[in-house]
Amino acid sequence: MKKLLSSAALGAILAGGSATASFADSMNIVFTHHSSASNPFWQAVKKGFDDACSKLEASCQMIFTQTEGSIEQQSANMQAALAGKPDALITSIVDNNAFDQIISDARAAGVIVIASNVDDTDGAKGNARQAFIGQGFVPAGYSLGQAMSESFPAEGPIKALVGVSAPGQNWSEQRAAGVIKFLEEFKAANPNREVEINRLDTGTDGAVVADRVGAYLNAHPDTTVYFDTGLWHAGVARALADRGVEPGKVLLGGFDIVAEVLQQMQAGYIQVEVDQQPYMQGFMPVMEAYLAKTVGLAPADIDTGQGIVRPADVPALWDLSKQGLR
């Protein structure tokens, strides 16, 4: 017989109490995704995941890929995890087709499936997952472009470079589309200014990104602004500093609040960052899976936001970053 969750028990979960152990002691939750353990963003997601699992005293595992962004490795990890018949699968959906059958089969077997961090671009119409907890990528990209425009020079040409970190993957392509959408609107609204928009496939290795963008900047020294669809513009900032390029000569912006990004914001090299609250992306899917199993509540979509962060915000974020919460 299914145990019912009392309001007191739910309150104990949210307050961090241990009164829920009897409800969750049999829960087995697996989180598979597309990133490697070296990616600092995902350590904050893992912190949220681990904290939620600890509160429920559930049996949980997060499985990283060996290679950053490997769809093949994620798919294999997902299949191996499902062979263990977990109660719930949390996963990122970076490709519109690669995981459809796996997730459909999991749902048919009664596994709760929640997408976190990245969703199918068609949402529930494109994949059998029950909910998505994460950022709206096109709006977030648009917000990045809009916030960065406040730092554009008052006159003269705008030469923008949009770095697509993972060509073909939903999160990167959608963020780039959002940035480009804003830049095209900016161009239309400023017909007397030259506005040039270029795209570059940059990768997800900091050193590679710095080399590729650095080579582009050497060939196009009049570049005004570089947008990254991930956090790897921090490496570009470091490369600019090593070359003796002064902060602000090339405006930089991207996504995620990790330590190196905060450092480069303080140094003046990064002007704008977009936060997607990774801790929430790890914590909330666990709680939704718990509620789905114990009281039959349908998992619900949660937009984890597109908070704009500027250098003035950095001091307040340092302690949270050091704790692995941001």
Side-chain angles (χ1 to χ4, degrees):
M1 180 178 178
K2 183 178 289 185
K3 298 175 181 177
L4 295 180
L5 178 67
S6 69
S7 59
L10 179 57
I13 297 173
L14 299 177
S18 59
T20 60
S22 63
F23 292 101
D25 53 11
S26 63
M27 281 204 75
N28 180 359
I29 304 172
V30 180
F31 194 148
T32 65
H33 57 80
H34 60 285
S35 194
S36 65
S38 63
N39 187 318
F41 168 85
W42 277 94
Q43 293 305 316
V45 181
K46 186 176 186 299
K47 172 68 173 168
F49 178 69
D50 289 345
D51 284 355
C53 290
S54 177
K55 291 180 186 299
L56 298 179
E57 297 189 7
S59 175
C60 296
Q61 182 182 18
M62 177 175 282
I63 306 174
F64 292 82
T65 58
Q66 292 295 313
T67 304
E68 183 71 27
S70 173
I71 293 173
E72 293 78 10
Q73 291 173 19
Q74 182 184 353
S75 178
N77 289 342
M78 198 182 301
Q79 290 174 314
L82 289 169
K85 299 182 179 179
D87 295 294
L89 170 70
I90 303 166
T91 194
S92 58
I93 304 176
V94 297
D95 184 276
N96 279 354
N97 303 305
F99 313 120
D100 285 359
Q101 190 60 53
I102 301 173
I103 291 175
S104 179
D105 291 346
R107 290 293 301 125
V111 178
I112 299 161
V113 182
I114 299 174
S116 181
N117 182 251
V118 189
D119 195 15
D120 189 292
T121 56
D122 289 325
K125 294 180 180 179
N127 190 278
R129 95 296 182 276
Q130 293 162 273
F132 171 58
I133 298 174
Q135 183 179 76
F137 295 121
V138 174
Y142 188 95
S143 293
L144 174 61
Q146 187 173 47
M148 182 65 82
S149 70
E150 297 173 13
S151 298
F152 285 176
E155 55 185 26
I158 300 295
K159 304 291 183 71
L161 176 64
V162 180
V164 182
S165 309
Q169 292 197 12
N170 296 345
W171 61 274
S172 188
E173 293 287 357
Q174 288 184 296
R175 283 174 173 167
V179 172
I180 291 170
K181 182 176 188 292
F182 172 78
L183 292 172
E184 288 174 342
E185 289 182 9
F186 180 88
K187 181 176 182 177
N190 295 271
N192 296 324
R193 296 187 71 176
E194 179 187 357
V195 179
E196 182 179 309
I197 307 165
N198 291 293
R199 167 183 164 134
L200 181 69
D201 295 347
T202 54
T204 55
D205 179 281
V208 172
V209 175
D211 285 346
R212 289 179 180 174
V213 177
Y216 181 92
L217 295 177
N218 281 341
H220 304 85
D222 56 348
T223 299
T224 309
V225 57
Y226 171 65
F227 296 95
D228 199 287
T229 56
L231 51 81
W232 296 278
H233 53 303
V236 176
R238 187 170 60 251
L240 291 175
D242 290 345
R243 295 181 185 183
V245 177
E246 64 183 27
K249 185 177 186 301
V250 180
L251 303 173
L252 300 178
F255 294 81
D256 301 331
I257 310 303
V258 299
E260 188 173 8
V261 164
L262 294 177
Q263 290 168 357
Q264 297 298 345
M265 292 191 89
Q266 279 192 322
Y269 281 96
I270 295 176
Q271 283 66 43
V272 182
E273 201 74 4
V274 181
D275 182 19
Q276 61 174 316
Q277 304 190 92
Y279 185 91
M280 185 184 293
Q281 294 179 9
F283 190 94
M284 294 309 297
V286 174
M287 292 301 174
E288 290 204 357
Y290 169 78
L291 292 172
K293 181 181 179 183
T294 57
V295 294
L297 294 185
D301 294 347
I302 299 175
D303 187 339
T304 62
Q306 45 179 293
I308 299 297
V309 176
R310 295 182 172 86
D313 302 313
V314 170
L317 293 170
W318 264 121
D319 286 344
L320 293 172
S321 178
K322 291 174 182 177
Q323 295 174 52
L325 299 172
R326 298 296 290 273

